[in-house]
Amino acid sequence: MEGNQQEQEAVTLSRRLSKLRFTRDVLDIQDFTSDTFKPSDVIEKLLESGGFSEDVHKTGKDGSSVEKTAETLFSACSALDARLDELEEDVEQECEHLRVQLSTDHAGYASRISQTEKQLQRLEESLDRLEKRSDELVSFGRNVGTPFVDIQNQKERAMEMADILDHLTIFSHCTDVSNLPSSFHDDENIEKCANIVCLLMSAIESVVHAQPSREGDQQFMMGRNASNMPGTIGAAWEQLVLYLNLLDNKIVSHFDSAAESRNIAAMAYYSRIMEKAHSSTSGSAILMSRYISRRSIFISSDSLFEKLDLNFSKEQGSDFKVHGLDSQSHVEASRRVTYACRHVSENLHEECSILEQVFEDSEKAISMFVTRIFEETLSETIGRAFELAGYGEEDTTAKLRDSLRLTCVSYRKIFNLADEACHLIPHPEENGLSVVELAEAAMGSILAEYPGQEKQWHQLLGLKTIQASKDDLSNDVVLNMIAINEESLKRGKQVIPENRMAEFVEELFFSKSTLQSDNGGAALLDYIGTYVMENLHHVEEKALKQLESHGIWRDVSINEKAIGVSIDASFGAVARSASTAAEIHRSLVEHHDKNLVSYFSTDRKEPRLALFGLQRGIEDHIAIILESCLQRLMEKTADLLYACQYKSDFLIVGSNTSEIERPTATCLKVCAIFNTVTLTVKMFLRGNNYSSFMHALTEQLEKTIEKHLLKFYYTPGGALRMKRDLSAYAECIPPSGAKKAFDDLIAMSNVLIVGPSSVHEMAELVSYLDRDRVNQFIKRRAHK
């Protein structure tokens, strides 16, 4: 009964197992192979996955029934494992069978490959034998063929020599080239005839040079043997020379016809024939020279210029006139040169293209053409341009400037053409051609005269500027002169060779006269030095004249306007000129550093010395002018003091405080003048110029005042008033200049203030001063 129940449970379990949904998420191989494997764990997983029905869950709540079911399950799994082992064994047997079959097939394939390799080796050996046989055949052909070639060449040379002897016989027995066979006169055979002549003449030359002992054989080649008998080599040579001349004429005639119709192929054909006839490229030189000479640009220069004038007038309009150019002569002449050079450039490229196609030695032909272009056409073009512009008739600044501009335009255009020519001739030196020398030659004497003309224009315009501005010293005038110098430098840079540019720049900037402080030079610094010096001289005259004005020296009345006008027109004018001169020097230094210094070598000191010499000369001259004006001012001041200062001004009795504390009227007038001088000079003078002037003014004013004061006698009250005057004089001068001079005067004035008993004591206090000066003041004490 119990056995039937277990069997029934197993069947039920088997059915349920068939319904289980085994997935990788529920069970995997690790669930059965783990060291901690428990059947209950597997059952639990199955239960959780929902693989069993509710009946299974209910069966055996204590788990005993489930375990039995699991055991049954594992029994089934064991049966499955056994079946799997059987299947695995079957698979291995099948694989072994396949391996045996594959090994058998591989052995068959290896045998077939081995047989194929043996066949390939036999084939390679056959090819090697075939190649050796081929080399043997080639060597045999070479050994056999060379004699055949030599025999053929000898045959051709023999036939050629036979032809040469036949033709040589014809020419040696001919007495007139017109009697030669008709084949020698047929134009269709002209190339063949040229070859015959070349061969015959070469053969005769070879014979003569090979046997120099034969008398007369060498002479006939030079045409010195006139008695050559018919049938001799000399007779043949004479007829060949005559026939060659006839042939040359034919070739030239045909070449000219081809050139006239611009048939370049025919021209090249006859050029080659000419070279063959003369056995060298020198034969084509005849055609080169003839072709170039017949170009329209060389036939007639007058016709060329008429053509240029006609085309130029069409471009400029119907009102243009060829002759008698107006004030725009420079512009018209420049345009004429430009148009002519453009025409030449077009002609140059066109003709050079033809020469390259016609002549084998095209470089030689182009060199000949370019040489004639520069030596004839361009040279005459430049000369005609200057002639039509009328330069050289007047040496005015305008004419010179136009001439210089035209020189630059011409130079630029000519050398642009030279550059073009250099590109057309890859190796001009091989033909003895220097395009730069040709360009310079085309400019002719114009290029040689350029530096002198530039200096002349520089000098004339500089002198003209000086004359126009001789009464006004202005930096703008100098800037105009500098602009003139810059214009000359700009032109010179275009025309003057680089290795001579430094010399040219120096000659325009300074001269030996500049270095020697002599105004007789003709360079920029010379003009400016002359200009500045003449204007300073003029300023000096006006300043001294203004200081003579009676308006400010007439009396002690103070007319500030009159004083201001007079001082401004004298010291102000000189100070302004000094300031302008300093500005002029800065402009020159800037011009030197910006535009000139690059042309001079680093050890070249003369330009800087010239600038320094000019500056020193101007400063010395300004110092002399200021000294003259200061001397005249002191003379007028002394006259004013003498005329307007009264004895009573310093003979004050009593204690009139208001009178003592107030400077005298004469002092106030002098102070007004010197205050104006100080303020005016301070506005324009700077640095050493200002300090030097103020030192001189203070020194001379102190001496003038001291000399003036020693003419009067002083009471104590008058001495106090005099001391007040001295303080007022000192206030006119900046403290740095007045302190020592006027402090000494004020100290010495104390000996006039104290009583008689204290004079000796007071004199001891100023014992550091000159004793004679102190005694002079003591003597000016007034006695009651």
Side-chain angles (χ1 to χ4, degrees), residues 200-396:
L200 290 176
M201 298 186 81
S202 298
I204 294 174
E205 288 177 351
S206 300
V207 171
V208 172
H209 287 297
Q211 299 177 358
S213 61
R214 294 177 57 183
E215 297 180 2
D217 286 344
Q218 291 185 353
Q219 295 181 355
F220 76 86
M221 296 181 63
M222 301 303 294
R224 292 195 294 267
N225 191 352
S227 61
N228 291 318
M229 298 299 291
T232 63
I233 293 179
W237 179 268
E238 288 181 358
Q239 296 303 316
L240 282 170
V241 171
L242 294 174
Y243 180 72
L244 181 58
N245 292 335
L246 179 63
L247 194 62
D248 286 347
N249 292 334
K250 281 188 177 184
I251 295 173
V252 169
S253 177
H254 288 298
F255 182 86
D256 288 345
S257 299
E260 187 174 351
S261 60
R262 309 296 280 183
N263 189 340
I264 297 176
M267 293 167 62
Y269 171 72
Y270 289 111
S271 173
R272 288 195 299 273
I273 293 176
M274 182 67 82
E275 291 174 2
K276 290 179 180 178
H278 290 267
S279 68
S280 67
T281 56
S282 61
S284 60
I286 301 172
L287 298 181
M288 292 178 188
S289 178
R290 186 170 181 83
Y291 175 77
I292 292 171
S293 298
R294 294 172 68 86
R295 296 305 87 210
S296 60
I297 199 171
F298 300 123
I299 293 174
S300 173
S301 58
D302 291 334
S303 63
L304 170 64
F305 277 96
E306 288 173 4
K307 179 181 177 181
L308 293 177
D309 291 338
L310 178 61
N311 293 334
F312 188 66
S313 62
K314 288 180 180 178
E315 287 188 1
Q316 302 302 314
S318 57
D319 294 336
F320 176 79
K321 295 181 180 180
V322 176
H323 301 287
L325 298 177
D326 58 9
S327 58
Q328 298 296 323
S329 57
H330 154 66
V331 178
E332 305 298 354
S334 297
R335 289 177 181 174
R336 188 179 302 275
V337 170
T338 300
Y339 186 85
C341 289
R342 186 171 67 211
H343 174 77
V344 170
S345 176
E346 294 170 355
N347 196 281
L348 178 65
H349 285 275
E350 179 182 354
E351 294 297 341
C352 287
S353 175
I354 295 173
L355 294 172
E356 286 178 346
Q357 300 176 66
V358 171
F359 299 104
E360 182 177 346
D361 191 359
S362 59
E363 284 196 23
K364 182 177 180 180
I366 294 173
S367 297
M368 292 172 63
F369 184 69
V370 168
T371 300
R372 290 198 61 176
I373 282 283
F374 279 90
E375 289 181 349
E376 296 180 18
T377 306
L378 293 178
S379 180
E380 191 162 357
T381 296
I382 301 302
R384 288 288 294 274
F386 276 83
E387 179 184 347
L388 292 175
Y391 298 148
E393 297 176 0
E394 300 179 20
D395 290 335
T396 63

Side-chain angles (χ1 to χ4, degrees), residues 391-458:
Y391 298 148
E393 297 176 0
E394 300 179 20
D395 290 335
T396 63
T397 55
K399 282 287 185 180
L400 280 172
R401 189 180 200 182
D402 288 346
S403 176
L404 293 169
R405 288 176 174 177
L406 182 57
T407 299
C408 289
V409 171
S410 302
Y411 185 90
R412 187 167 59 252
K413 298 299 180 183
I414 294 296
F415 275 82
N416 285 343
L417 284 175
D419 290 338
E420 293 181 26
C422 287
H423 288 91
L424 294 172
I425 310 173
H427 307 95
E429 63 280 355
E430 294 181 1
N431 294 294
L433 181 67
S434 174
V435 181
V436 174
E437 291 180 1
L438 287 176
E440 292 177 349
M443 294 292 294
S445 61
I446 296 171
L447 196 60
E449 294 171 357
Y450 168 77
Q453 285 188 336
E454 194 71 71
K455 296 172 190 175
Q456 186 181 5
W457 174 75
H458 206 265

